[in-house]
Amino acid sequence: MPESASISSGIAERYATALFELFSDDGALDALQGDIDTLSTALADSADLRALIASPVHSRSDQKAAISAVAEKAGLSQSMVSVLGLMAENRRLFVLPQLLSALNEMLADARGEVTAEVSAAHAMTQAQQESLAATLKERFGKDVKIKMAVDESLIGGLVVRVGSKMIDTSIRAKLANLQNAMKEVG
């Protein structure tokens, strides 16, 4: 991991821990999840918002005013609005994506869940996803939330990532292994 990414994740972790504890003490973890989902959607949908949090051109006061206006219009909780304002004052809005990711991990851990990032060659039905989630629950001992993606280059099979573990049953990986074995023989 590059040093700047490590610094960013460290900053994000500190803000995430403080926010999580604040919402947890208030018994408002569902409200925190709602704020996270709203902010994640806003970041994904708005290039202007992404530019605002990443650009050093904007002054602290401009960033604070803009992020506060966005947060209030989106209906975020007052605690989240305050923390976003503090982040703007401290020139830390650039870590917002990492903050949201860290908060999602903390919430999932509090609920006893893990997220499985699944790539498949073809879209999976809801029944297939539920079956996969049940199988992964047996293996990891926690409820599994499936985050699905389609990658046609896999040819067939799945690539499943849960935390730092990866299970690759794709045809592409099997062909690569066979190709390597053939190189070793001849």
Side-chain angles (χ1 to χ4, degrees):
M1 181 183 308
E3 187 176 337
S4 62
S6 177
I7 291 170
S8 294
S9 65
I11 293 168
E13 286 288 329
R14 288 191 294 275
Y15 280 105
T17 300
L19 259 172
F20 184 81
E21 288 175 4
L22 183 65
F23 277 84
S24 183
D25 290 346
D26 292 344
L29 292 181
D30 290 339
L32 177 59
Q33 184 66 63
D35 286 353
I36 293 167
D37 294 343
T38 301
L39 278 170
S40 296
T41 301
L43 278 174
D45 293 348
S46 174
D48 290 338
L49 181 58
R50 290 190 303 274
L52 171 73
I53 67 169
S55 176
V57 174
H58 304 289
S59 70
R60 293 171 195 250
S61 59
D62 288 346
Q63 273 190 329
K64 183 177 180 180
I67 198 69
S68 294
V70 167
E72 289 179 25
K73 184 164 175 90
L76 300 181
S77 63
Q78 190 54 48
S79 297
M80 183 64 81
V81 173
S82 298
V83 169
L84 291 173
L86 178 65
M87 290 173 69
E89 286 176 11
N90 293 330
R91 287 262 192 223
R92 300 288 191 245
L93 280 178
F94 66 94
V95 301
L96 188 55
Q98 295 96 324
L99 170 75
L100 298 175
S101 178
L103 284 168
N104 269 327
E105 289 176 20
M106 290 176 180
L107 284 169
D109 191 46
R111 291 188 297 253
E113 293 178 350
V114 293
T115 298
E117 295 178 14
V118 178
S119 297
H122 306 284
M124 293 175 64
T125 65
Q126 188 63 33
Q128 290 171 323
Q129 289 183 35
E130 289 170 3
S131 175
L132 177 61
T135 302
L136 292 172
K137 180 178 180 174
E138 289 176 20
R139 175 153 184 185
F140 293 102
K142 293 185 175 187
D143 288 333
V144 177
K145 182 178 169 186
I146 303 285
K147 183 177 175 186
M148 192 69 217
V150 175
D151 181 359
E152 293 177 359
S153 71
L154 296 177
I155 305 170
L158 301 171
V159 177
V160 180
R161 288 181 186 86
V162 179
S164 62
K165 298 192 183 330
M166 183 174 91
I167 304 165
D168 189 346
T169 63
S170 67
I171 301 295
R172 179 181 66 189
K174 291 178 181 179
L175 288 172
N177 288 339
L178 183 59
Q179 183 179 24
N180 288 335
M182 291 172 64
K183 284 180 184 177
E184 291 174 9
V185 172

